[in-house]
Amino acid sequence: MLRETNADVVIIGGSLGGCAAALAAAAMGKTVLMTEETAWIGGQLTSQAVPPDEHQWIEQFGCTSNYRKFRNGVREYYRRNFPLSDQAAADLLLNPGNAKVSRISHDPRAALAVLLEMLAPYMHSGKLVVMTHCRAETAETDGDRIRSVTLRNVLSGASTIAVGQYYLDATDCGDLLPLTGTEYVTGSESRSETGERHALDGPADPQDMQSITHCFVVDYLEGENHTIDKPADYEFWRSYRPDFWPDRLLSLAGVRPTTLEPVYYDLLPGGKGLSFWEGFSLLTYRRLADKNNFLPGTFPGDVSVVNWPQNDYFLGSIIDVSEEERSRHLYQAKQLSLSLLYWLQTEAPRPDGKCGYPGFRLRRDVFGTEDGMALYPYIRESRRIKAEFTILEQHINPQDRSDGQAENFHDSVGIGYYAMDLHPSTGNRHYIHLPALPFQIPLGSMIPVRMNNLLPACKNIGTTHITNGSYRLHPVEWNIGEAAGALAAFCLERNETPRNVRNNQKLLTEFQTVLQRHGVELAWPENIMN
């Protein structure tokens, strides 16, 4: 007999957006059920091991107050639990890893602890129930509404029927959309369809999606030997060279995403390779713990997550393919990452003329997985709903904005800023890295063209392949999730639909006021780019 569980809001997927949605809906008094396929909630911050990618104003403005609470919570977590150096302890803007790419790089376990702490009042009171190791298997719909979703525990096989009034898809791949018959798109659009400068010249390609990356964490201990067993597919990856890459993928050669000119990466700090930034090295790129931030002996070496150009996997898509093909690509993505580690340990060129850095230690303890890899691959691109409004390149690309401002959306439910950053894709396409203006998140991009009680809460909103590159990063995903959770609660309180909220100015103004009261910024300061 199937067990049934009920909640006002059912969130499928415990991604970063899912956590923000759960926090918002529960804070507004609604009961929430949130599922998660892995053991950890938090998505790209935790199970995928990607430190926050953020804009340059993040310490002052440009995110929701709840996202700022999370960031402050991370710093407090380190202050409470770690023996910081005097300099780090005095730094109000503590960056535990001093990573080049993030102003608050930190261990994924710290992110998980802070997220659980933020959700704790609602979990302890029973308003929020979190079901880990669960994925959606089927859904029952009635016309334009979802009636229930059947969940399966991936460990025990037990099934549960989840019944709610609103369903939020907060999976990283948009998994609820095909199960419910919700209209969606994938991959790259045609220029003739969107009018975007950088869309495909020819027909759309639904299987042309950004690469995924199976991240892992290492520390570096000079003089020690932590070489792993040779991966099964190492010889393939050792010799693999993409047509568009300057050298073999397993090398220290790469390109500048903005110009595609070849560069040579430094592996450790202090080298002389060409780089994006002065002092750049791959080890410090996404460093999670700078040992100099802590008292001597706390960390034997710097700790870093390996999410580098060398382990971007783009040989095939994991979305809308057979389960066999999906499993094959997930396996190969892991093999690529393991092969990169083995290459670093055994063959990477050294300044002293030798080869290999056996001191790179795979930190299996971080995730507790048998192979030491992250719990889930980093997913850059999802299924995207067919929405009432689709965000196009010409809405945010400075080349298309004569006034120097992104498109002003009257139905804004948040803001964000990040370049249109697209990694090499499964269509054998190179980087696309375009500037963007500080932008808004229009509510219309979160309203499906037909379904009435489903909302996107992750990177599955109405963007294109191009604009997804800007709307996929941490603060924006959080804002999307928070707006979705708040919208579901708002609609329940007023017995309205999301579509009516967007298309009725009085309701829209009321909802935007609720968001602002909860600390969601709806517009950027004027002339921010001047």
Side-chain angles (χ1 to χ4, degrees):
M1 182 176 179
L2 290 178
R3 183 169 69 94
E4 183 176 300
T5 184
N6 293 265
D8 295 326
V9 180
V10 174
I11 302 173
I12 304 299
S15 64
L16 190 58
C19 292
L23 190 64
M28 292 176 67
K30 306 308 170 192
T31 57
V32 180
L33 168 67
M34 182 170 71
T35 70
E36 166 53 34
E37 185 175 344
T38 73
W40 290 3
I41 63 171
Q44 58 179 321
L45 263 181
T46 59
S47 60
Q48 299 172 37
V50 181
D53 282 305
E54 301 167 330
H55 55 75
Q56 62 264 43
W57 304 289
I58 192 68
E59 302 294 354
Q60 291 80 39
F61 50 81
C63 66
T64 76
S65 62
N66 276 333
Y67 184 76
R68 191 166 304 285
K69 286 178 184 176
F70 167 79
R71 297 178 88 256
N72 292 338
V74 168
R75 288 176 171 141
E76 287 306 309
Y77 177 85
Y78 278 89
R79 295 186 196 284
R80 288 197 313 267
N81 297 301
F82 288 80
L84 298 176
S85 67
D86 290 344
Q87 182 177 354
D91 187 357
L92 296 179
L93 303 181
L94 172 66
N95 185 348
N98 285 331
K100 194 67 182 179
V101 77
S102 176
R103 289 169 173 79
I104 188 167
S105 56
H106 54 280
D107 192 292
R109 293 169 292 186
L112 177 63
V114 174
L115 288 172
L116 289 172
E117 191 172 75
M118 292 178 73
L119 293 170
Y122 309 109
M123 294 175 69
H124 286 229
S125 68
K127 279 186 178 179
L128 168 63
V129 174
V130 177
M131 295 176 61
T132 56
H133 300 295
C134 281
R135 63 181 301 176
E137 288 278 282
T138 60
E140 182 182 358
T141 60
D142 182 7
D144 299 336
R145 293 186 62 82
I146 304 170
R147 295 183 62 179
S148 67
V149 174
T150 299
L151 312 169
R152 183 178 65 84
N153 186 294
V154 298
L155 299 180
S156 69
S159 295
T160 301
I161 296 178
V163 178
Q165 297 188 64
Y166 277 90
Y167 296 82
L168 275 53
D169 186 339
T171 63
D172 278 281
C173 293
D175 293 333
L176 191 57
L177 304 183
L179 295 180
T180 57
T182 300
E183 292 80 1
Y184 67 89
V185 298
T186 62
S188 297
E189 291 87 355
S190 167
R191 185 178 304 166
S192 63
E193 177 186 359
T194 66
E196 295 173 304
R197 293 173 184 265
H198 293 88
L200 289 177
D201 288 331
D205 185 354
Q207 282 295 302
D208 178 32
M209 301 183 200
Q210 284 199 67
S211 52
I212 64 173
T213 303
H214 217 117
C215 302
F216 57 96
V217 173
V218 296
D219 54 11
Y220 182 65
L221 308 175
E222 180 64 43
E224 298 187 12
N225 188 345
H226 297 279
T227 305
I228 63 170
D229 293 337
K230 184 178 179 180
D233 290 351
Y234 179 69
E235 293 303 327
F236 170 81
W237 288 114
R238 180 180 181 272
S239 61
Y240 176 68
R241 178 175 179 174
D243 295 341
F244 52 79
W245 208 248
D247 199 346
R248 291 179 301 175
L249 191 60
L250 298 190
S251 71
L252 295 180
V255 300
R256 294 180 189 269
T258 52
T259 64
L260 304 184
E261 65 180 298
V263 298
Y264 188 83
Y265 300 112
D266 291 326
L267 187 55
L268 303 180
K272 297 180 180 179
L274 298 176
S275 59
F276 300 107
W277 306 284
E278 183 180 353
F280 173 86
S281 74
L282 288 171
L283 186 64
T284 59
Y285 181 37
R286 297 185 187 274
R287 185 169 51 189
L288 304 177
D290 179 351
K291 68 177 183 179
N292 295 316
N293 270 338
F294 306 88
L295 293 182
T298 305
F299 286 91
D302 288 350
V303 181
S304 187
V305 63
V306 178
N307 173 17
W308 301 346
Q310 294 94 328
N311 62 329
D312 275 2
Y313 178 84
F314 41 80
L315 268 61
S317 165
I318 63 169
I319 292 177
D320 288 351
V321 296
S322 68
E323 189 58 38
E324 180 183 4
E325 184 173 351
R326 180 178 184 272
S327 296
R328 178 166 57 84
H329 289 311
L330 290 173
Y331 169 81
Q332 288 182 329
K334 274 193 178 184
Q335 281 290 303
L336 170 57
S337 288
L338 288 167
S339 295
L340 171 58
L341 174 59
Y342 187 76
W343 180 84
L344 290 170
Q345 294 171 327
T346 61
E347 295 196 60
R350 299 176 60 108
D352 59 10
K354 298 179 182 179
C355 292
Y357 294 81
F360 276 110
R361 177 175 61 165
L362 177 60
R363 292 293 303 273
R364 300 175 188 271
D365 58 303
V366 174
F367 305 104
T369 54
E370 185 175 342
D371 56 16
M373 296 289 104
L375 296 170
Y376 200 78
Y378 176 33
I379 306 296
R380 295 182 175 89
E381 187 171 346
S382 171
R383 298 176 179 91
R384 307 182 295 277
I385 65 165
K386 287 188 177 179
E388 284 204 345
F389 181 84
T390 301
I391 305 161
L392 305 175
E393 178 185 351
Q394 47 267 41
H395 294 135
I396 63 173
N397 190 333
Q399 286 185 281
D400 295 302
R401 309 299 305 172
S402 59
D403 62 356
Q405 306 290 321
E407 184 79 17
N408 181 60
F409 297 124
H410 78 284
D411 59 345
S412 172
V413 291
I415 58 176
Y417 178 57
Y418 203 80
M420 287 175 274
D421 174 23
L422 284 77
H423 285 230
S425 71
T426 56
N428 204 36
R429 299 176 74 201
H430 218 319
Y431 283 103
I432 300 174
H433 193 97
L434 309 168
L437 294 162
F439 53 76
Q440 295 171 306
I441 305 166
L443 180 57
S445 69
M446 298 177 61
I447 309 297
V449 292
R450 181 179 59 85
M451 295 299 283
N452 287 320
N453 68 336
L454 179 143
L455 292 168
C458 197
K459 52 181 75 72
N460 49 359
I461 66 171
T463 58
T464 64
H465 174 71
I466 299 295
T467 55
N468 165 73
S470 287
Y471 281 76
R472 67 181 175 85
L473 281 306
H474 302 71
V476 183
E477 183 186 325
W478 182 293
N479 196 147
I480 290 167
E482 189 167 344
L487 180 59
F490 181 86
C491 289
L492 286 170
E493 289 175 355
R494 288 161 176 77
N495 195 28
E496 289 287 354
T497 67
R499 200 177 318 282
N500 286 345
V501 171
R502 193 240 173 174
N503 296 312
N504 180 302
Q505 186 57 54
K506 182 175 182 295
L507 285 172
L508 176 61
T509 300
E510 287 182 18
F511 178 57
Q512 289 173 321
T513 300
V514 168
L515 290 176
Q516 289 177 302
R517 190 165 63 242
H518 285 86
V520 177
E521 299 175 25
L522 303 185
W524 288 94
E526 290 186 11
N527 303 316
I528 188 172
M529 298 298 286
N530 293 340

